Amino acid sequence: MRPKSLEKEAAIRSIALQIISEQGLENLSMQKLAKAANISPRTIYIKYENKEDLLVKLFIEEVLGTYEKAVLENFQPEMPFAEGMKKLWLNTFNYLKNNKPAFSLIQYGKSSPLLNKAFQKKNIRQGEFFAPIHTFLKTNIETKLIPDLPHDVHRAILFSPIQDLVAEYFDYLDRPVQIITEEVILTCCEIIIKGITNQKNNEQH
């Protein structure tokens, strides 16, 4: 790909992220993007099959690596379970609350049937991203601190709630009082930690 073509594609992606940030993902259209980038819609369709193709590629090529780096900052798989979980939750919260386009694309990626196909096309296998988290969970399963469940189940139990809390954070930006703070995030994280690590004790009482 020639330098000018690379610059044009970078500009398209940058403007797409700006539209998502300012107007919401649902208001991004190929026509609006073309107008904002001062190019013809045909030029965009040469690079992207449709809006869904654009969003999936934006997620994989513009968000995924940066998101992983932010979530794993100062995290070590050897950390005690509670400490590691709190670090991951706070890192996720602080990254996403300042990166609404990334959050929108992550939410979209979870529901997109094309995402797995895009991963396959890029030869991205499960565990390739966020590998330290996989190691962290495996270690705590082996010590029997947390139950042995499939990785996708652990992800749903341990990390989907922080996504929902970030959604509430953005919802409350337009309200008089913000209810989603770091203190609330940590309290919710502690509830999750207690629930998954005290399962046998709860069954006995």
Side-chain angles (χ1 to χ4, degrees), residues 27-160:
N27 290 312
L28 174 68
S29 68
M30 303 300 255
Q31 290 72 24
K32 184 179 289 187
L33 178 58
K35 184 176 180 180
N38 197 27
I39 57 177
S40 71
R42 182 174 175 274
T43 301
I44 295 179
Y45 282 112
I46 290 173
K47 301 179 183 299
Y48 306 101
E49 293 177 15
N50 49 41
K51 177 179 174 178
E52 188 163 21
D53 182 45
L54 167 65
L55 294 177
V56 168
K57 287 177 179 174
L58 274 175
F59 171 68
I60 292 176
E61 296 170 20
E62 297 291 327
V63 171
L64 191 53
T66 306
Y67 179 46
E68 179 192 41
K69 183 178 179 181
V71 170
L72 295 177
E73 186 176 3
N74 297 321
F75 169 80
Q76 299 296 331
E78 301 81 17
M79 284 179 164
F81 184 70
E83 181 184 350
M85 284 297 301
K86 290 175 184 178
K87 173 61 68 177
L88 292 171
W89 270 49
L90 282 179
N91 284 349
T92 299
F93 176 61
N94 286 318
Y95 172 74
L96 292 178
K97 75 174 185 177
N98 295 313
N99 291 276
K100 193 172 183 180
F103 176 68
S104 298
L105 287 166
I106 289 165
Q107 293 295 96
Y108 177 80
K110 286 166 64 177
S111 63
S112 171
L114 289 186
L115 187 58
N116 285 335
K117 291 181 181 178
F119 277 164
Q120 291 168 8
K121 192 173 181 180
K122 291 280 186 179
N123 293 318
I124 297 174
R125 298 179 298 276
Q126 187 180 64
E128 189 170 333
F129 281 87
F130 302 101
I133 298 179
H134 287 255
T135 302
F136 174 68
L137 295 176
K138 184 179 179 182
T139 298
N140 285 284
I141 289 170
E142 289 173 351
T143 61
K144 301 188 184 303
L145 183 66
I146 62 175
D148 187 1
L149 298 167
H151 176 75
D152 287 341
V153 175
H154 275 135
R155 182 178 60 192
I157 294 171
L158 298 173
F159 300 109
S160 288

Side-chain angles (χ1 to χ4, degrees), residues 177-190:
V177 178
Q178 175 58 261
I179 65 168
I180 306 299
T181 63
E182 284 195 5
E183 183 180 359
V184 169
I185 293 295
L186 287 174
T187 298
C188 294
C189 186
E190 286 170 1

